[in-house]
Amino acid sequence: MIARGLAVAALVLSLGWALPAAAANDGAPALSRFQVDAIKAALATSGTLLLAWGVWLQARGRPHSRRRLRDGLLLALGVASGLAWWNFGLFHFPQYVHPSDTFHYYMGSKYFRELGYTRLYACTAVSDLDRGRKYAAKGHRIRNLETNVLEPVGPWLDDPSRCTRHFIPERWDAFRTDAAVFRNHMTPSAWRKLRTDHGYNGTPAWAILGTALSHTGPASLDQLLALALLDPVLLLILWACVAWAFGWRATCVALLFWGTNYPAAFGWVGGGFLRQDWLAAAIVGICLLRKQRPAAGGFLLMTATLLRIFPGFILLGFGLQALARIWRSRRFTLSASHRRMLAGGLLAAGLWLPLSAWMTGGFDSWLAFIANSRVHVSTPLLNHMGLPTLLAYDGSARANQTFQVNEEDPYADWKQARRDTFEKRRLLHLALVAAFALLLARASERQPDWVVAILALGLLPIAVELTGYYYAVLLAYGLLWTRSQAIGTALCAVSALSWLFVEIWHWTDEILTWTSLACALFVTYAAVETLREERRSGAPPRR
């Protein structure tokens, strides 16, 4: 009876709520943001319970009990969770294109040679001034992208040549026209807020395709929509490859996490311009490793690394595995698959690095990217996640306690408190990273390449801070369901916990701090559980 009750509840939640995506008669969305979030929390919780039921049955020696019922529920929850990431077709309630995010990557790539990484906001303000728009008022603040500090825009407006001298007249006219397209379709407050964000941060490798596509014509609503529709194509390819390589059950487990977790929800970068390319490259690369195509897998994993840098931790995982094998055998060897992966990775680097330099005006663009990244790494953000975020937490200096609305940077005190607190705990962080690296090396030593790639993702929440939407990549852990159902269950539990934290804490910094703890514990558990499975079976499966 309990099982049947769970089945009915899950089906109602996943299908009954997922279908109404059209607007109501009065033009308002059929579901509010709060209702959509509540459905996501219910889906994540139902998925966790369903998978936990399977783990319990397996422990009792009854892995095939109620298989048809459990499969039906898993399929329903997986499909509904996939729809949930898109907010059931309501997107940004209701528009699809994310104007702010698209502005940064469209304008930043199209005019990179003139703007670099530091002049986007200043030149946008000057373009407003040229058109006599009130948005260029000298009292407004913009973020100085060289320092990440909010400053008055006045000095740039007093001397517009600081911006315009980087443009030839034709390019400046094009820039002003393109900027006006975004400005005319945003509210004045949203337009001002946009220029206090953190700029364009695409790598020169991202700019290869980004710049080519943004130059397909002057900005228009039709062009921006067409560019924003590239991500759904990439995601469709991603999930098709996952189903091909891992089967539909593991796909549904991964969908349960991807579609319902709080940190990587659609609202952050959904409807943006090529914001899912790195994710597609990384996950499809893992799929190719599963299908024993290491050269192609290495090519895509290196591509993902050049697109967003942090996927390079996957490649580091293979290095740790190789070191563990060298330590045990006392001789330097590389497996045949590692050699083929290395060849694929070198091919990607040899192709994309020169092409990126040509597209962005030289290899100096990579030096500029490194300098820009250093500024961002040193700047705490409310939506940061990772073990460093957790260690920088000070309960007496939370954002809701230190926020100063009348200051130039309302979060200046909060940011400084985070820096000071983390500095006191830096050695602890280094020790924890070293301990996890040792655990990862041991857990990966005898595992197939695709398992190593997934486990290596655990370095992300342990070693670095990333904005929460990049945690979508943890969906890869759902693919370990084919090896350990307990890991898939724990992954869904992380998603459910993220919504519990939303209910307990209402400020983003606290929600993501405690979600960081859940993620750090999860990736540690996944590595330990993989090691335990190896010891229980005597040797890992060949695939």
Side-chain angles (χ1 to χ4, degrees), residues 497-526:
L497 282 172
S498 71
W499 291 107
L500 176 62
F501 298 150
V502 170
E503 287 299 309
I504 298 174
W505 296 283
H506 303 296
W507 281 64
T508 305
D509 65 317
E510 289 187 275
I511 295 168
L512 295 188
T513 291
W514 299 112
T515 306
S516 297
L517 175 61
C519 289
L521 292 175
F522 165 74
V523 297
T524 303
Y525 165 75

PDB file of all heavy atoms in Angstrom, residues 497-526:
ATOM      1  N   LEU A 497      17.706  18.470  -0.681  1.00  0.00           N
ATOM      2  CA  LEU A 497      18.232  19.277   0.423  1.00  0.00           C
ATOM      3  C   LEU A 497      18.383  20.740   0.029  1.00  0.00           C
ATOM      4  O   LEU A 497      18.165  21.638   0.855  1.00  0.00           O
ATOM      5  CB  LEU A 497      19.579  18.723   0.882  1.00  0.00           C
ATOM      6  CG  LEU A 497      19.551  17.490   1.775  1.00  0.00           C
ATOM      7  CD1 LEU A 497      20.965  16.953   1.992  1.00  0.00           C
ATOM      8  CD2 LEU A 497      18.904  17.829   3.121  1.00  0.00           C
ATOM      9  N   SER A 498      18.753  20.998  -1.226  1.00  0.00           N
ATOM     10  CA  SER A 498      18.916  22.396  -1.636  1.00  0.00           C
ATOM     11  C   SER A 498      17.614  23.170  -1.470  1.00  0.00           C
ATOM     12  O   SER A 498      17.626  24.351  -1.107  1.00  0.00           O
ATOM     13  CB  SER A 498      19.420  22.472  -3.086  1.00  0.00           C
ATOM     14  OG  SER A 498      18.429  22.085  -4.027  1.00  0.00           O
ATOM     15  N   TRP A 499      16.493  22.508  -1.691  1.00  0.00           N
ATOM     16  CA  TRP A 499      15.200  23.180  -1.503  1.00  0.00           C
ATOM     17  C   TRP A 499      14.840  23.296  -0.036  1.00  0.00           C
ATOM     18  O   TRP A 499      14.166  24.265   0.363  1.00  0.00           O
ATOM     19  CB  TRP A 499      14.108  22.455  -2.283  1.00  0.00           C
ATOM     20  CG  TRP A 499      14.291  22.628  -3.743  1.00  0.00           C
ATOM     21  CD1 TRP A 499      14.729  21.702  -4.640  1.00  0.00           C
ATOM     22  CD2 TRP A 499      14.106  23.836  -4.484  1.00  0.00           C
ATOM     23  NE1 TRP A 499      14.818  22.248  -5.895  1.00  0.00           N
ATOM     24  CE2 TRP A 499      14.438  23.551  -5.829  1.00  0.00           C
ATOM     25  CE3 TRP A 499      13.685  25.120  -4.141  1.00  0.00           C
ATOM     26  CZ2 TRP A 499      14.353  24.526  -6.828  1.00  0.00           C
ATOM     27  CZ3 TRP A 499      13.613  26.089  -5.130  1.00  0.00           C
ATOM     28  CH2 TRP A 499      13.943  25.779  -6.460  1.00  0.00           C
ATOM     29  N   LEU A 500      15.267  22.344   0.779  1.00  0.00           N
ATOM     30  CA  LEU A 500      15.079  22.480   2.219  1.00  0.00           C
ATOM     31  C   LEU A 500      15.831  23.705   2.729  1.00  0.00           C
ATOM     32  O   LEU A 500      15.310  24.478   3.548  1.00  0.00           O
ATOM     33  CB  LEU A 500      15.565  21.222   2.932  1.00  0.00           C
ATOM     34  CG  LEU A 500      15.526  21.256   4.473  1.00  0.00           C
ATOM     35  CD1 LEU A 500      14.100  21.424   4.977  1.00  0.00           C
ATOM     36  CD2 LEU A 500      16.165  19.993   5.038  1.00  0.00           C
ATOM     37  N   PHE A 501      17.044  23.916   2.219  1.00  0.00           N
ATOM     38  CA  PHE A 501      17.832  25.070   2.630  1.00  0.00           C
ATOM     39  C   PHE A 501      17.178  26.372   2.183  1.00  0.00           C
ATOM     40  O   PHE A 501      17.291  27.397   2.859  1.00  0.00           O
ATOM     41  CB  PHE A 501      19.256  24.969   2.070  1.00  0.00           C
ATOM     42  CG  PHE A 501      20.024  23.776   2.561  1.00  0.00           C
ATOM     43  CD1 PHE A 501      21.001  23.184   1.769  1.00  0.00           C
ATOM     44  CD2 PHE A 501      19.764  23.212   3.800  1.00  0.00           C
ATOM     45  CE1 PHE A 501      21.721  22.090   2.212  1.00  0.00           C
ATOM     46  CE2 PHE A 501      20.463  22.112   4.259  1.00  0.00           C
ATOM     47  CZ  PHE A 501      21.441  21.544   3.465  1.00  0.00           C
ATOM     48  N   VAL A 502      16.496  26.344   1.041  1.00  0.00           N
ATOM     49  CA  VAL A 502      15.765  27.524   0.588  1.00  0.00           C
ATOM     50  C   VAL A 502      14.680  27.891   1.594  1.00  0.00           C
ATOM     51  O   VAL A 502      14.424  29.078   1.855  1.00  0.00           O
ATOM     52  CB  VAL A 502      15.147  27.281  -0.808  1.00  0.00           C
ATOM     53  CG1 VAL A 502      14.174  28.395  -1.185  1.00  0.00           C
ATOM     54  CG2 VAL A 502      16.246  27.167  -1.857  1.00  0.00           C
ATOM     55  N   GLU A 503      14.040  26.876   2.171  1.00  0.00           N
ATOM     56  CA  GLU A 503      12.991  27.134   3.149  1.00  0.00           C
ATOM     57  C   GLU A 503      13.552  27.620   4.481  1.00  0.00           C
ATOM     58  O   GLU A 503      12.938  28.451   5.159  1.00  0.00           O
ATOM     59  CB  GLU A 503      12.174  25.850   3.375  1.00  0.00           C
ATOM     60  CG  GLU A 503      11.270  25.489   2.232  1.00  0.00           C
ATOM     61  CD  GLU A 503      10.238  26.576   1.965  1.00  0.00           C
ATOM     62  OE1 GLU A 503       9.559  27.001   2.927  1.00  0.00           O
ATOM     63  OE2 GLU A 503      10.146  27.028   0.812  1.00  0.00           O
ATOM     64  N   ILE A 504      14.717  27.130   4.866  1.00  0.00           N
ATOM     65  CA  ILE A 504      15.296  27.508   6.158  1.00  0.00           C
ATOM     66  C   ILE A 504      15.976  28.869   6.085  1.00  0.00           C
ATOM     67  O   ILE A 504      15.802  29.724   6.960  1.00  0.00           O
ATOM     68  CB  ILE A 504      16.305  26.438   6.621  1.00  0.00           C
ATOM     69  CG1 ILE A 504      15.592  25.092   6.807  1.00  0.00           C
ATOM     70  CG2 ILE A 504      16.986  26.860   7.923  1.00  0.00           C
ATOM     71  CD1 ILE A 504      16.539  23.947   7.125  1.00  0.00           C
ATOM     72  N   TRP A 505      16.784  29.068   5.033  1.00  0.00           N
ATOM     73  CA  TRP A 505      17.498  30.329   4.845  1.00  0.00           C
ATOM     74  C   TRP A 505      17.002  30.979   3.561  1.00  0.00           C
ATOM     75  O   TRP A 505      16.840  30.317   2.545  1.00  0.00           O
ATOM     76  CB  TRP A 505      19.007  30.087   4.739  1.00  0.00           C
ATOM     77  CG  TRP A 505      19.601  29.526   5.991  1.00  0.00           C
ATOM     78  CD1 TRP A 505      19.892  30.205   7.135  1.00  0.00           C
ATOM     79  CD2 TRP A 505      19.974  28.164   6.235  1.00  0.00           C
ATOM     80  NE1 TRP A 505      20.424  29.359   8.081  1.00  0.00           N
ATOM     81  CE2 TRP A 505      20.491  28.101   7.544  1.00  0.00           C
ATOM     82  CE3 TRP A 505      19.933  27.003   5.481  1.00  0.00           C
ATOM     83  CZ2 TRP A 505      20.947  26.923   8.113  1.00  0.00           C
ATOM     84  CZ3 TRP A 505      20.383  25.818   6.039  1.00  0.00           C
ATOM     85  CH2 TRP A 505      20.881  25.788   7.335  1.00  0.00           C
ATOM     86  N   HIS A 506      16.802  32.273   3.586  1.00  0.00           N
ATOM     87  CA  HIS A 506      16.179  32.947   2.448  1.00  0.00           C
ATOM     88  C   HIS A 506      17.157  33.802   1.646  1.00  0.00           C
ATOM     89  O   HIS A 506      16.784  34.290   0.574  1.00  0.00           O
ATOM     90  CB  HIS A 506      15.016  33.806   2.935  1.00  0.00           C
ATOM     91  CG  HIS A 506      13.980  33.023   3.700  1.00  0.00           C
ATOM     92  ND1 HIS A 506      13.228  32.029   3.114  1.00  0.00           N
ATOM     93  CD2 HIS A 506      13.610  33.056   4.998  1.00  0.00           C
ATOM     94  CE1 HIS A 506      12.416  31.496   4.014  1.00  0.00           C
ATOM     95  NE2 HIS A 506      12.636  32.093   5.168  1.00  0.00           N
ATOM     96  N   TRP A 507      18.371  33.974   2.122  1.00  0.00           N
ATOM     97  CA  TRP A 507      19.365  34.738   1.378  1.00  0.00           C
ATOM     98  C   TRP A 507      20.263  33.764   0.625  1.00  0.00           C
ATOM     99  O   TRP A 507      20.653  32.728   1.150  1.00  0.00           O
ATOM    100  CB  TRP A 507      20.181  35.624   2.319  1.00  0.00           C
ATOM    101  CG  TRP A 507      19.443  36.867   2.708  1.00  0.00           C
ATOM    102  CD1 TRP A 507      18.289  36.931   3.420  1.00  0.00           C
ATOM    103  CD2 TRP A 507      19.798  38.214   2.382  1.00  0.00           C
ATOM    104  NE1 TRP A 507      17.894  38.229   3.573  1.00  0.00           N
ATOM    105  CE2 TRP A 507      18.800  39.051   2.947  1.00  0.00           C
ATOM    106  CE3 TRP A 507      20.844  38.792   1.685  1.00  0.00           C
ATOM    107  CZ2 TRP A 507      18.836  40.430   2.822  1.00  0.00           C
ATOM    108  CZ3 TRP A 507      20.873  40.180   1.559  1.00  0.00           C
ATOM    109  CH2 TRP A 507      19.887  40.985   2.123  1.00  0.00           C
ATOM    110  N   THR A 508      20.618  34.166  -0.598  1.00  0.00           N
ATOM    111  CA  THR A 508      21.356  33.257  -1.475  1.00  0.00           C
ATOM    112  C   THR A 508      22.665  32.796  -0.871  1.00  0.00           C
ATOM    113  O   THR A 508      23.056  31.634  -1.023  1.00  0.00           O
ATOM    114  CB  THR A 508      21.625  33.942  -2.829  1.00  0.00           C
ATOM    115  OG1 THR A 508      20.385  34.387  -3.384  1.00  0.00           O
ATOM    116  CG2 THR A 508      22.290  32.985  -3.808  1.00  0.00           C
ATOM    117  N   ASP A 509      23.368  33.695  -0.172  1.00  0.00           N
ATOM    118  CA  ASP A 509      24.679  33.302   0.347  1.00  0.00           C
ATOM    119  C   ASP A 509      24.565  32.164   1.344  1.00  0.00           C
ATOM    120  O   ASP A 509      25.368  31.226   1.339  1.00  0.00           O
ATOM    121  CB  ASP A 509      25.396  34.500   0.970  1.00  0.00           C
ATOM    122  CG  ASP A 509      24.693  35.051   2.197  1.00  0.00           C
ATOM    123  OD1 ASP A 509      23.448  35.173   2.162  1.00  0.00           O
ATOM    124  OD2 ASP A 509      25.371  35.372   3.190  1.00  0.00           O
ATOM    125  N   GLU A 510      23.543  32.195   2.206  1.00  0.00           N
ATOM    126  CA  GLU A 510      23.379  31.120   3.187  1.00  0.00           C
ATOM    127  C   GLU A 510      22.883  29.834   2.529  1.00  0.00           C
ATOM    128  O   GLU A 510      23.352  28.733   2.850  1.00  0.00           O
ATOM    129  CB  GLU A 510      22.413  31.565   4.278  1.00  0.00           C
ATOM    130  CG  GLU A 510      22.986  32.621   5.199  1.00  0.00           C
ATOM    131  CD  GLU A 510      22.075  32.910   6.364  1.00  0.00           C
ATOM    132  OE1 GLU A 510      21.164  33.741   6.199  1.00  0.00           O
ATOM    133  OE2 GLU A 510      22.260  32.293   7.429  1.00  0.00           O
ATOM    134  N   ILE A 511      21.935  29.961   1.606  1.00  0.00           N
ATOM    135  CA  ILE A 511      21.419  28.774   0.928  1.00  0.00           C
ATOM    136  C   ILE A 511      22.553  28.013   0.249  1.00  0.00           C
ATOM    137  O   ILE A 511      22.696  26.795   0.393  1.00  0.00           O
ATOM    138  CB  ILE A 511      20.349  29.167  -0.111  1.00  0.00           C
ATOM    139  CG1 ILE A 511      19.127  29.784   0.584  1.00  0.00           C
ATOM    140  CG2 ILE A 511      19.937  27.959  -0.941  1.00  0.00           C
ATOM    141  CD1 ILE A 511      18.163  30.453  -0.384  1.00  0.00           C
ATOM    142  N   LEU A 512      23.394  28.745  -0.480  1.00  0.00           N
ATOM    143  CA  LEU A 512      24.445  28.085  -1.245  1.00  0.00           C
ATOM    144  C   LEU A 512      25.628  27.681  -0.375  1.00  0.00           C
ATOM    145  O   LEU A 512      26.372  26.770  -0.739  1.00  0.00           O
ATOM    146  CB  LEU A 512      24.893  28.985  -2.397  1.00  0.00           C
ATOM    147  CG  LEU A 512      23.817  29.251  -3.453  1.00  0.00           C
ATOM    148  CD1 LEU A 512      24.397  29.985  -4.642  1.00  0.00           C
ATOM    149  CD2 LEU A 512      23.154  27.958  -3.918  1.00  0.00           C
ATOM    150  N   THR A 513      25.804  28.326   0.753  1.00  0.00           N
ATOM    151  CA  THR A 513      26.841  27.874   1.680  1.00  0.00           C
ATOM    152  C   THR A 513      26.528  26.473   2.179  1.00  0.00           C
ATOM    153  O   THR A 513      27.388  25.576   2.171  1.00  0.00           O
ATOM    154  CB  THR A 513      26.961  28.835   2.874  1.00  0.00           C
ATOM    155  OG1 THR A 513      27.497  30.081   2.421  1.00  0.00           O
ATOM    156  CG2 THR A 513      27.889  28.264   3.943  1.00  0.00           C
ATOM    157  N   TRP A 514      25.300  26.255   2.583  1.00  0.00           N
ATOM    158  CA  TRP A 514      24.951  24.935   3.126  1.00  0.00           C
ATOM    159  C   TRP A 514      24.740  23.910   2.026  1.00  0.00           C
ATOM    160  O   TRP A 514      24.963  22.713   2.234  1.00  0.00           O
ATOM    161  CB  TRP A 514      23.735  25.068   4.038  1.00  0.00           C
ATOM    162  CG  TRP A 514      24.055  25.973   5.184  1.00  0.00           C
ATOM    163  CD1 TRP A 514      23.538  27.209   5.435  1.00  0.00           C
ATOM    164  CD2 TRP A 514      25.039  25.742   6.198  1.00  0.00           C
ATOM    165  NE1 TRP A 514      24.135  27.756   6.547  1.00  0.00           N
ATOM    166  CE2 TRP A 514      25.048  26.884   7.045  1.00  0.00           C
ATOM    167  CE3 TRP A 514      25.916  24.691   6.486  1.00  0.00           C
ATOM    168  CZ2 TRP A 514      25.893  26.993   8.139  1.00  0.00           C
ATOM    169  CZ3 TRP A 514      26.754  24.799   7.578  1.00  0.00           C
ATOM    170  CH2 TRP A 514      26.736  25.932   8.389  1.00  0.00           C
ATOM    171  N   THR A 515      24.345  24.364   0.836  1.00  0.00           N
ATOM    172  CA  THR A 515      24.315  23.445  -0.299  1.00  0.00           C
ATOM    173  C   THR A 515      25.733  23.027  -0.673  1.00  0.00           C
ATOM    174  O   THR A 515      25.962  21.897  -1.122  1.00  0.00           O
ATOM    175  CB  THR A 515      23.604  24.093  -1.499  1.00  0.00           C
ATOM    176  OG1 THR A 515      22.306  24.556  -1.104  1.00  0.00           O
ATOM    177  CG2 THR A 515      23.429  23.089  -2.634  1.00  0.00           C
ATOM    178  N   SER A 516      26.693  23.938  -0.484  1.00  0.00           N
ATOM    179  CA  SER A 516      28.100  23.585  -0.709  1.00  0.00           C
ATOM    180  C   SER A 516      28.530  22.454   0.207  1.00  0.00           C
ATOM    181  O   SER A 516      29.256  21.543  -0.208  1.00  0.00           O
ATOM    182  CB  SER A 516      28.996  24.809  -0.470  1.00  0.00           C
ATOM    183  OG  SER A 516      28.720  25.842  -1.378  1.00  0.00           O
ATOM    184  N   LEU A 517      28.094  22.518   1.471  1.00  0.00           N
ATOM    185  CA  LEU A 517      28.409  21.441   2.406  1.00  0.00           C
ATOM    186  C   LEU A 517      27.825  20.129   1.919  1.00  0.00           C
ATOM    187  O   LEU A 517      28.497  19.078   1.937  1.00  0.00           O
ATOM    188  CB  LEU A 517      27.876  21.781   3.798  1.00  0.00           C
ATOM    189  CG  LEU A 517      28.021  20.689   4.861  1.00  0.00           C
ATOM    190  CD1 LEU A 517      29.479  20.329   5.091  1.00  0.00           C
ATOM    191  CD2 LEU A 517      27.352  21.125   6.167  1.00  0.00           C
ATOM    192  N   ALA A 518      26.558  20.158   1.480  1.00  0.00           N
ATOM    193  CA  ALA A 518      25.917  18.937   0.983  1.00  0.00           C
ATOM    194  C   ALA A 518      26.667  18.368  -0.215  1.00  0.00           C
ATOM    195  O   ALA A 518      26.872  17.152  -0.319  1.00  0.00           O
ATOM    196  CB  ALA A 518      24.462  19.226   0.620  1.00  0.00           C
ATOM    197  N   CYS A 519      27.107  19.247  -1.123  1.00  0.00           N
ATOM    198  CA  CYS A 519      27.827  18.781  -2.314  1.00  0.00           C
ATOM    199  C   CYS A 519      29.197  18.214  -1.952  1.00  0.00           C
ATOM    200  O   CYS A 519      29.621  17.193  -2.516  1.00  0.00           O
ATOM    201  CB  CYS A 519      27.979  19.925  -3.314  1.00  0.00           C
ATOM    202  SG  CYS A 519      26.435  20.404  -4.122  1.00  0.00           S
ATOM    203  N   ALA A 520      29.898  18.871  -1.027  1.00  0.00           N
ATOM    204  CA  ALA A 520      31.222  18.377  -0.624  1.00  0.00           C
ATOM    205  C   ALA A 520      31.102  17.002   0.029  1.00  0.00           C
ATOM    206  O   ALA A 520      31.908  16.100  -0.236  1.00  0.00           O
ATOM    207  CB  ALA A 520      31.884  19.366   0.325  1.00  0.00           C
ATOM    208  N   LEU A 521      30.105  16.843   0.882  1.00  0.00           N
ATOM    209  CA  LEU A 521      29.893  15.539   1.517  1.00  0.00           C
ATOM    210  C   LEU A 521      29.490  14.493   0.487  1.00  0.00           C
ATOM    211  O   LEU A 521      29.918  13.335   0.560  1.00  0.00           O
ATOM    212  CB  LEU A 521      28.820  15.658   2.603  1.00  0.00           C
ATOM    213  CG  LEU A 521      29.197  16.487   3.838  1.00  0.00           C
ATOM    214  CD1 LEU A 521      28.002  16.616   4.773  1.00  0.00           C
ATOM    215  CD2 LEU A 521      30.381  15.862   4.574  1.00  0.00           C
ATOM    216  N   PHE A 522      28.681  14.904  -0.490  1.00  0.00           N
ATOM    217  CA  PHE A 522      28.233  13.952  -1.506  1.00  0.00           C
ATOM    218  C   PHE A 522      29.392  13.428  -2.341  1.00  0.00           C
ATOM    219  O   PHE A 522      29.512  12.210  -2.555  1.00  0.00           O
ATOM    220  CB  PHE A 522      27.181  14.576  -2.409  1.00  0.00           C
ATOM    221  CG  PHE A 522      26.945  13.784  -3.656  1.00  0.00           C
ATOM    222  CD1 PHE A 522      26.251  12.586  -3.607  1.00  0.00           C
ATOM    223  CD2 PHE A 522      27.464  14.198  -4.878  1.00  0.00           C
ATOM    224  CE1 PHE A 522      26.065  11.819  -4.755  1.00  0.00           C
ATOM    225  CE2 PHE A 522      27.273  13.453  -6.022  1.00  0.00           C
ATOM    226  CZ  PHE A 522      26.573  12.259  -5.958  1.00  0.00           C
ATOM    227  N   VAL A 523      30.238  14.317  -2.861  1.00  0.00           N
ATOM    228  CA  VAL A 523      31.316  13.842  -3.746  1.00  0.00           C
ATOM    229  C   VAL A 523      32.313  12.988  -2.963  1.00  0.00           C
ATOM    230  O   VAL A 523      32.905  12.046  -3.516  1.00  0.00           O
ATOM    231  CB  VAL A 523      32.027  15.013  -4.448  1.00  0.00           C
ATOM    232  CG1 VAL A 523      31.051  15.761  -5.353  1.00  0.00           C
ATOM    233  CG2 VAL A 523      32.696  15.970  -3.460  1.00  0.00           C
ATOM    234  N   THR A 524      32.480  13.299  -1.666  1.00  0.00           N
ATOM    235  CA  THR A 524      33.339  12.458  -0.826  1.00  0.00           C
ATOM    236  C   THR A 524      32.712  11.080  -0.654  1.00  0.00           C
ATOM    237  O   THR A 524      33.390  10.046  -0.777  1.00  0.00           O
ATOM    238  CB  THR A 524      33.563  13.113   0.539  1.00  0.00           C
ATOM    239  OG1 THR A 524      34.132  14.418   0.340  1.00  0.00           O
ATOM    240  CG2 THR A 524      34.490  12.281   1.406  1.00  0.00           C
ATOM    241  N   TYR A 525      31.412  11.063  -0.387  1.00  0.00           N
ATOM    242  CA  TYR A 525      30.707   9.782  -0.255  1.00  0.00           C
ATOM    243  C   TYR A 525      30.788   8.972  -1.541  1.00  0.00           C
ATOM    244  O   TYR A 525      30.999   7.747  -1.509  1.00  0.00           O
ATOM    245  CB  TYR A 525      29.241  10.041   0.105  1.00  0.00           C
ATOM    246  CG  TYR A 525      28.366   8.829  -0.102  1.00  0.00           C
ATOM    247  CD1 TYR A 525      28.411   7.768   0.797  1.00  0.00           C
ATOM    248  CD2 TYR A 525      27.533   8.737  -1.211  1.00  0.00           C
ATOM    249  CE1 TYR A 525      27.627   6.631   0.592  1.00  0.00           C
ATOM    250  CE2 TYR A 525      26.750   7.625  -1.422  1.00  0.00           C
ATOM    251  CZ  TYR A 525      26.797   6.565  -0.509  1.00  0.00           C
ATOM    252  OH  TYR A 525      26.030   5.453  -0.720  1.00  0.00           O
ATOM    253  N   ALA A 526      30.634   9.643  -2.697  1.00  0.00           N
ATOM    254  CA  ALA A 526      30.669   8.923  -3.978  1.00  0.00           C
ATOM    255  C   ALA A 526      32.026   8.259  -4.183  1.00  0.00           C
ATOM    256  O   ALA A 526      32.105   7.118  -4.661  1.00  0.00           O
ATOM    257  CB  ALA A 526      30.362   9.880  -5.118  1.00  0.00           C
TER     258      ALA A 526
END
